[in-house]
Amino acid sequence: QEKEELIEEWQPEPLVPPVPKDHPALNYNIVSGPPTHIITVNGKECINFASFNFLGLLNNEKVKSAAQASLKKYGVGTCGPRGFYGTFDVHLELEERLAKFMRTEEAIIYSYGFATIASAIPAYSKRGDIVFVDEAACFAIQKGLQASRSNIKLFKHNDMADLERLLKEQETEDQKNPRKARVTRRFIVVEGLYMNTGDICPLPELIKLKYKYKVRIFLEESLSFGVLGPHGRGITEHFGINIDDIDLISANMENSLASIGGFCCGRSFIIDHQRLSGQGYCFSASLPPLLAAAAIEALNIMEDNPDIFQTLRAKCERIHKALQGISGLKVVGESFSPALHLQLKESCGSRENDVKLLKRVVDYCMNSGIALTQARYLEKEEKCLPPPSIRVVITVEQTEQELDKAASLLKEAAQSVLN
Amino acid sequence: INHIVHNGGLYKKPFNEAFEETPMLVAVLTYVGYGVLTLFGYLRDFMRQWKIEKCQNATEREEQKDFVPLYQDFENFYNRNLYMRIRDSWNRPICSVPGAKVDMMERVSHDYNWTFTYTGRVIKDIINMGSYNYLGFAQNTGACQEAASKVLSQYGAGVCSTRQEMGNLDKHEELEKLVARFLGVESAMAYGMGFATNSMNIPALVGKGCLILSDELNHASLVLGARLSGATIRIFKHNNMQSLEKLLKDAIVHGQPRTRRPWKKILILVEGIYSMEGSIVRLPEVIALKKKYKSYLYLDEAHSIGALGPSGRGVVDYFGLNPEDVDVMMGTFTKSFGAAGGYIGGKKELIDYLRTYSHSAAYATSMSPPVVEQIITSVKCIMGEDGTTIGEARVQQLAENTRYFRRRLKEMGFIIYGNEDSPVVPLMLYMPAKIGAFGREMLKRNIGVVVVGFPATPIIESRARFCLSAAHTKEMLDTALKEINEVGDLLQLKYSRRRLVPLLDRPFDETTYEETED
């Protein structure tokens, strides 16, 4: 009888708390038409400085016609995971091409960019293993680490001394318990080009640390694939490092390759394991063939025109220089990074107010024909929340006049809003 | 004799679900089979270690030999010794539309499945009983493909931005309104991957201090989402309402485990059709329980949307219930709509909350435009809004195919699990050797089937799973049935003794729940 009363009295919370109508993330920008170089946002035509279309392949006719051919042959969906009649010859071809391009033994494709690294990490690192990860790692890496249930040790962004300190601490721990140390796997997870800060990781030092302390390296190259290096092979080519030194390279195809999905590449010893234990690979439908065909064609274009990487780099340097010295905003990111952040030099106290101020800058620019966006984060879920910022993305399609126009417009906007 | 459940008028039509017990002799033989394989496995490992046999695995780099080993030897025992023997039943590459008939690339192995080589020949017109093509929308001609083609030339293939930044196209808004209308809910939101829909939104809805009651046989995406959320998870026996009620009562009466504080919310995770069992969730009873104990219901209609119900609107339509009773209706577009992606539908507050706080909206690229167009066209077709009755005809055809196929298989004497109306038909094989043999024999006869074993199913209950489609004509089904009959006789698969266990007698014991906390 008491139980009946308890059941009657219990009141649960509402399933979701109400969201205020003016929450900045609630009102999406509506893009009518393709999100290419000239983009129509909320009815206004602007030059696109917000989509990660680095090599301008989103609107490329060859890519589209390869996708059309694939659509006519296979239809849209694959109707099954890779294990059950969902493996098409296009997938096998794309995996081979990616492995050859990156000069590794094997590659594996996922149908969703976020799921790539989030499924790869838990396939290798389990409860009891140790992962050293950079503070500025992106959200997908954080979710992969959470799913793996390993011990996470954060080191300060790009600070090799801090990482070495942690590794030394771990070494002293190991000496106390050598039996456990023999079965505890160790990994370092870093990004080639960090999405949250726009800088590059010091890979040569990391390789030295790898061999000194016997840790494996997982490299996430979503932004640096197709951007860094004379042929676009990413940060390993940029620094001239032997690719076999990196245990696993993971990247998504949604930035430079202008398709959907992601891939991991490395030695067969490592990649083959994911075919049975990568959750996003085994339990999910495979990539639609038209997107795989688009990616293959994009790879062809990348291989045939290696000078676009030089052009992109030159444009990045140009705008990086042009954006220096804006009153109130500072540029965060390397000079050759195509995805920069503009942060407030001084915060106005609360994050909410900062976000509102930056929104006014963005709106000013949008009204004058440059489409920008703020970098969006889930404030409560991030481990180390970056400060609010405006994201500026440089693509190969933007002309020099447009770059200059964008820089001067941002200067104007900053002047009028922040003063 | 089928046991028909009416349960006080909650069900408007008979709910026929049956899981015949494993015959004792078969169970014993299966264990013996696995025992023999394990012994041989140890023997081969021993020979490989002492270099009597060549080791064909890939190995670690010379420079990294003194690192901590990446894989433990025992983890891969099953992989090396059992899976490798029958590996050719899976990952079969195809080179045409995954429709009712499919072309497969021929591959041979000269070293017992360690490596495959493609001969270059293509096996044509294999009857496809493995792809999730319930309504036959996997086509490369027709209205859907033309519309997708037009959108592809206009919008391109990718999007290169997230929903909250610059990736929200007008096509996405159109799709979401259409899906909301189709389901009968206030509003909906679409995501690029069905697996990710679960694993990224359940953590946004529940957190620490909440309770998740999840079915025993839930899909890996639901389990991952529940784990990532940080809530306490308790498992109830598959489709067993007494188990669920007991858990609910205990949860409310006793509160959180150590502190005895009341739970913040309780979320019940169920699926519409369970893909390995072919069973349908007992939705009327679940909704009655949910209302009585004031908890929330998350329904994953990955396989049931489009496949069940007189108008193809899923399990809610099948039982004739009100879609507003289900708090979170989730589903995927991969199976019945021939595209890719997932959706969540529900009240407007829920969807607004997800637009702001879902992991996918903030960090993951939005859906590709031609895929969105395929979904829009196929949903319109099912609803009949494109002016034809193709959609309706397909839904009817699928229901007929399901009934016919299941009836014939049962008559032949196979053990078939699951509900009579579910288009997923698991046929029990049990013994490990028959898994490989069934797959290969059916392929020789030009029929492609899916076989599943451990770890997707319990170790002795391996099965072959047929997925019926509206695109299968009666001739195709008859051909398939004839071949299945032959192979069944050849491999002695007709285990059924035609004694069906009445549902209420399925064992249910008091030690039902396990608590998992991260």
Side-chain angles (χ1 to χ4, degrees):
Chain A
Q1 190 51 42
E2 256 183 46
K3 294 191 176 181
E4 305 288 327
E5 282 180 16
L6 280 170
I7 294 172
E8 279 295 312
E9 287 173 0
W10 179 67
Q11 276 301 337
E13 281 182 6
L15 181 58
V16 286
V19 177
K21 277 216 180 343
D22 58 349
H23 194 286
L26 185 54
N27 305 313
Y28 293 167
N29 296 322
I30 303 188
V31 174
S32 13
T36 53
H37 180 52
I38 305 282
I39 189 176
T40 316
V41 189
N42 298 334
K44 271 190 289 290
E45 248 193 41
C46 308
I47 303 176
N48 192 352
F49 273 83
S51 302
F52 291 111
N53 182 13
F54 301 137
L55 301 177
L57 292 172
L58 202 51
N59 212 10
N60 188 304
E61 283 310 319
K62 277 205 276 189
V63 170
K64 281 198 215 175
S65 57
Q68 289 278 14
S70 174
L71 177 60
K72 287 198 174 47
K73 186 174 176 197
Y74 298 105
V76 176
T78 54
C79 299
R82 287 293 287 262
F84 303 149
Y85 302 101
T87 306
F88 284 53
D89 43 358
V90 220
H91 296 135
L92 299 173
E93 196 189 327
L94 180 57
E95 287 182 354
E96 263 181 59
R97 290 294 303 279
L98 281 168
K100 206 162 41 153
F101 181 72
M102 294 294 286
R103 298 196 195 133
T104 59
E105 277 180 17
E106 206 175 320
I108 180 175
I109 297 183
Y110 285 84
S111 55
Y112 203 49
F114 189 97
T116 312
I117 190 70
S119 308
I121 295 180
Y124 302 102
S125 180
K126 314 271 182 199
R127 209 192 272 268
D129 296 332
I130 303 173
V131 184
F132 301 95
V133 66
D134 193 297
E135 270 182 353
C138 69
F139 194 70
I141 296 182
Q142 291 173 26
K143 284 293 137 187
L145 292 170
Q146 195 186 353
S148 72
R149 299 202 250 210
S150 320
N151 296 333
I152 318 284
K153 298 203 156 72
L154 293 165
F155 63 90
K156 292 202 194 40
H157 179 56
N158 271 351
D159 188 346
M160 293 295 107
D162 200 32
L163 175 58
E164 183 140 21
R165 177 183 62 87
L166 284 172
L167 286 166
K168 277 209 175 68
E169 274 175 25
Q170 184 57 38
E171 218 182 7
T172 41
E173 282 285 325
D174 287 344
Q175 280 158 357
K176 285 184 210 152
N177 194 344
R179 276 186 73 191
K180 186 170 160 203
R182 249 178 303 178
V183 289
T184 315
R185 295 171 278 237
R186 275 146 249 201
F187 303 97
I188 297 180
V189 180
V190 279
E191 290 186 45
L193 201 58
Y194 287 92
M195 180 127 117
N196 293 345
T197 60
D199 35 347
I200 197 173
C201 81
L203 204 52
E205 282 102 61
L206 276 170
I207 303 283
K208 284 202 207 90
L209 285 174
K210 166 183 168 160
Y211 286 112
K212 185 169 169 197
Y213 292 96
K214 317 245 181 295
V215 216
R216 295 175 198 267
I217 300 189
F218 285 174
L219 188 59
E220 221 276 309
E221 290 222 71
S222 292
L223 286 187
S224 51
F225 178 78
V227 167
L228 293 180
H231 292 101
R233 295 198 176 100
I235 193 172
T236 47
E237 207 184 23
H238 178 83
F239 280 118
I241 292 177
N242 179 9
I243 199 148
D244 279 338
D245 277 333
I246 310 285
D247 295 90
L248 178 82
I249 297 186
S250 152
N252 68 19
M253 304 196 280
E254 293 159 0
N255 300 334
S256 318
L257 285 179
S259 177
I260 304 270
F263 69 92
C264 286
C265 59
R267 295 184 68 243
S268 291
F269 174 68
I270 300 193
I271 298 294
D272 216 35
H273 182 68
Q274 278 182 50
R275 293 201 194 268
L276 280 181
S277 55
Q279 293 221 314
Y281 181 83
C282 303
F283 295 113
S284 178
S286 44
L287 186 65
L290 65 98
L291 296 170
I296 295 178
E297 193 58 38
L299 254 187
N300 286 343
I301 296 180
M302 271 173 65
E303 287 181 348
D304 292 335
N305 312 352
D307 37 325
I308 43 174
F309 306 114
Q310 291 292 55
T311 332
L312 181 61
R313 188 177 267 240
K315 296 200 177 174
C316 297
E317 309 247 353
R318 191 193 174 98
I319 200 164
H320 191 89
K321 222 183 340 186
L323 286 176
Q324 302 289 352
I326 301 188
S327 59
L329 292 175
K330 64 175 184 232
V331 178
V332 175
E334 297 267 345
S335 63
F336 48 78
S337 157
L340 305 164
H341 287 264
L342 286 170
Q343 290 173 6
L344 289 169
K345 277 199 182 126
E346 300 168 10
S347 157
C348 2
S350 76
R351 194 188 170 91
E352 241 188 274
N353 289 340
D354 285 345
V355 167
K356 285 203 183 101
L357 207 54
L358 287 172
K359 184 168 188 318
R360 285 170 57 195
V361 175
V362 169
D363 286 340
Y364 187 103
C365 292
M366 292 256 245
N367 285 336
S368 320
I370 298 282
L372 291 170
T373 175
Q374 285 196 52
R376 297 266 179 220
Y377 305 103
L378 285 177
E379 280 145 28
K380 291 186 215 125
E381 308 273 337
E382 287 261 3
K383 278 215 172 86
C384 302
L385 186 60
S389 61
I390 300 178
R391 212 193 276 281
V392 179
V393 178
I394 295 103
T395 75
V396 131
E397 287 180 325
Q398 292 155 354
T399 63
E400 316 221 317
Q401 294 95 322
E402 288 168 348
L403 290 174
D404 291 335
K405 176 179 173 194
S408 58
L409 198 55
L410 274 165
K411 281 198 177 78
E412 256 182 64
Q415 282 282 17
S416 79
V417 170
L418 299 173
N419 286 357
Chain B
I1 302 168
N2 275 333
H3 190 97
I4 299 175
V5 174
H6 275 292
N7 201 342
L10 277 178
Y11 292 81
K12 300 195 178 75
K13 53 183 178 183
F15 186 82
N16 291 341
E17 204 161 274
F19 297 90
E20 190 171 329
E21 280 258 321
T22 316
M24 180 58 80
L25 179 62
V26 174
V28 166
L29 284 176
T30 312
Y31 280 123
V32 167
Y34 275 109
V36 169
L37 281 169
T38 317
L39 270 176
F40 268 97
Y42 278 126
L43 180 66
R44 300 289 279 276
D45 272 350
F46 179 75
M47 283 169 45
R48 270 189 279 260
Q49 200 182 0
W50 288 93
K51 308 264 192 287
I52 305 173
E53 186 177 324
K54 190 164 59 127
C55 186
Q56 282 154 329
N57 283 19
T59 47
E60 180 67 275
R61 280 175 85 202
E62 280 308 318
E63 297 90 337
Q64 290 181 216
K65 277 260 154 60
D66 52 348
F67 280 41
V68 176
L70 193 53
Y71 315 119
Q72 288 169 328
D73 277 335
F74 190 69
E75 258 175 43
N76 285 358
F77 182 83
Y78 179 79
N79 192 4
R80 275 195 307 272
N81 297 308
L82 278 76
Y83 175 72
M84 273 296 166
R85 290 169 186 268
I86 46 177
R87 195 159 82 111
D88 59 322
S89 317
W90 292 291
N91 291 305
R92 290 182 173 160
I94 67 180
C95 45
S96 74
V97 183
K101 288 212 168 150
V102 75
D103 299 337
M104 206 179 93
M105 287 164 65
E106 198 182 3
R107 56 180 185 170
V108 289
S109 174
H110 300 289
D111 49 3
Y112 299 102
N113 288 347
W114 284 96
T115 56
F116 290 110
T117 40
Y118 295 103
T119 60
R121 275 196 298 271
V122 169
I123 309 177
K124 286 203 169 285
D125 287 338
I126 298 181
I127 298 182
N128 184 357
M129 307 224 59
S131 288
Y132 300 138
N133 181 19
Y134 298 132
L135 291 180
F137 278 110
Q139 299 167 303
N140 57 356
T141 50
C144 297
Q145 181 264 334
E146 280 168 19
S149 192
K150 241 193 311 200
V151 167
L152 175 59
S153 17
Q154 194 193 354
Y155 283 81
V159 183
C160 301
S161 187
T162 65
R163 282 304 285 279
Q164 285 185 358
E165 294 186 10
M166 202 54 82
N168 184 37
L169 306 175
D170 46 359
K171 280 278 158 208
H172 294 132
E173 304 264 323
E174 193 189 328
L175 171 67
E176 291 177 353
K177 290 200 187 69
L178 187 62
V179 168
R181 215 153 34 96
F182 177 68
L183 295 171
V185 290
E186 278 180 24
S187 128
M189 184 168 176
Y191 304 93
M193 186 193 194
F195 184 96
T197 310
N198 277 330
S199 65
M200 296 208 249
N201 289 311
I202 299 182
L205 294 174
V206 289
K208 266 193 162 26
C210 304
L211 176 67
I212 291 183
L213 297 175
S214 132
D215 190 292
E216 222 179 356
L217 299 176
N218 266 339
H219 190 251
S221 55
L222 288 166
V223 172
L224 183 62
R227 269 185 42 208
L228 285 177
S229 69
T232 316
I233 308 174
R234 292 196 183 149
I235 303 184
F236 61 91
K237 283 213 181 289
H238 178 58
N239 236 358
N240 190 320
M241 295 300 115
Q242 290 90 339
S243 166
L244 178 58
E245 180 155 14
K246 182 176 191 311
L247 284 182
L248 279 167
K249 264 208 190 106
D250 283 345
I252 300 183
V253 165
H254 295 298
Q256 298 192 25
R258 276 180 295 272
T259 57
R260 296 286 171 171
R261 261 183 289 172
W263 295 102
K264 287 196 210 156
K265 356 182 195 199
I266 302 185
L267 186 66
I268 306 176
L269 296 180
V270 284
E271 290 188 37
I273 294 185
Y274 291 89
S275 56
M276 284 300 155
E277 301 278 315
S279 50
I280 301 184
V281 67
R282 294 163 180 276
L283 199 57
E285 293 178 61
V286 175
I287 290 189
L289 280 176
K290 167 195 103 95
K291 285 188 176 151
K292 181 171 171 196
Y293 293 95
K294 291 181 275 211
S295 45
Y296 301 110
L297 180 61
Y298 185 105
L299 178 65
D300 177 346
E301 292 208 77
H303 287 266
S304 52
I305 190 77
L308 282 185
S311 56
R313 285 165 205 232
V315 67
V316 172
D317 191 30
Y318 175 73
F319 286 114
L321 300 168
N322 186 357
E324 299 195 358
D325 281 335
V326 180
D327 301 287
V328 189
M329 285 184 73
M330 177 263 168
T332 61
F333 296 122
T334 329
K335 283 113 189 170
S336 307
F337 303 100
Y343 66 85
I344 289 196
K347 293 211 160 30
K348 190 164 182 315
E349 297 92 51
L350 170 71
I351 301 297
D352 279 345
Y353 182 82
L354 286 178
R355 281 190 212 280
T356 5
Y357 292 103
S358 159
H359 305 183
S360 169
Y363 295 105
T365 318
S366 33
M367 289 171 84
S368 161
V371 173
V372 172
E373 186 61 29
Q374 159 83 12
I375 303 170
I376 293 179
T377 336
S378 56
V379 170
K380 282 197 181 142
C381 181
I382 297 177
M383 291 208 286
E385 282 185 11
D386 60 342
T388 64
T389 49
I390 297 181
E392 213 182 302
R394 286 185 186 192
V395 174
Q396 304 278 32
Q397 178 74 25
L398 177 65
E400 271 176 44
N401 283 354
T402 312
R403 277 194 292 270
Y404 177 65
F405 196 75
R406 275 176 172 269
R407 183 171 56 84
R408 286 289 305 276
L409 279 179
K410 283 214 185 93
E411 280 169 11
M412 286 182 201
F414 294 102
I415 297 188
I416 307 285
Y417 272 12
N419 195 303
E420 262 190 21
D421 290 317
S422 102
V424 175
V425 186
L427 186 150
M428 302 309 289
L429 297 172
Y430 297 114
M431 298 184 201
K434 296 192 187 179
I435 305 176
F438 191 77
R440 290 175 196 147
E441 286 295 320
M442 293 303 283
L443 189 58
K444 272 193 223 157
R445 294 170 164 82
N446 254 12
I447 302 188
V449 297
V450 159
V451 289
V452 246
F454 184 77
T457 60
I459 192 144
I460 55 166
E461 291 179 15
S462 33
R463 58 200 73 176
R465 189 181 69 174
F466 301 105
C467 289
L468 295 167
S469 160
H472 287 138
T473 59
K474 193 149 183 300
E475 293 77 42
M476 285 187 220
L477 287 183
D478 284 332
T479 328
L481 283 164
K482 183 166 75 76
E483 304 294 353
I484 296 174
N485 202 359
E486 265 180 47
V487 175
D489 282 329
L490 182 68
L491 297 175
Q492 295 186 14
L493 291 172
K494 297 188 177 172
Y495 301 119
S496 174
R497 283 171 293 178
R498 300 177 207 261
R499 243 190 290 142
L500 296 160
V501 178
L503 288 165
L504 289 177
D505 290 355
R506 260 200 118 182
F508 159 63
D509 60 65
E510 300 285 299
T511 57
T512 311
Y513 64 72
E514 335 158 3
E515 204 161 286
T516 31
E517 266 185 63
D518 269 14

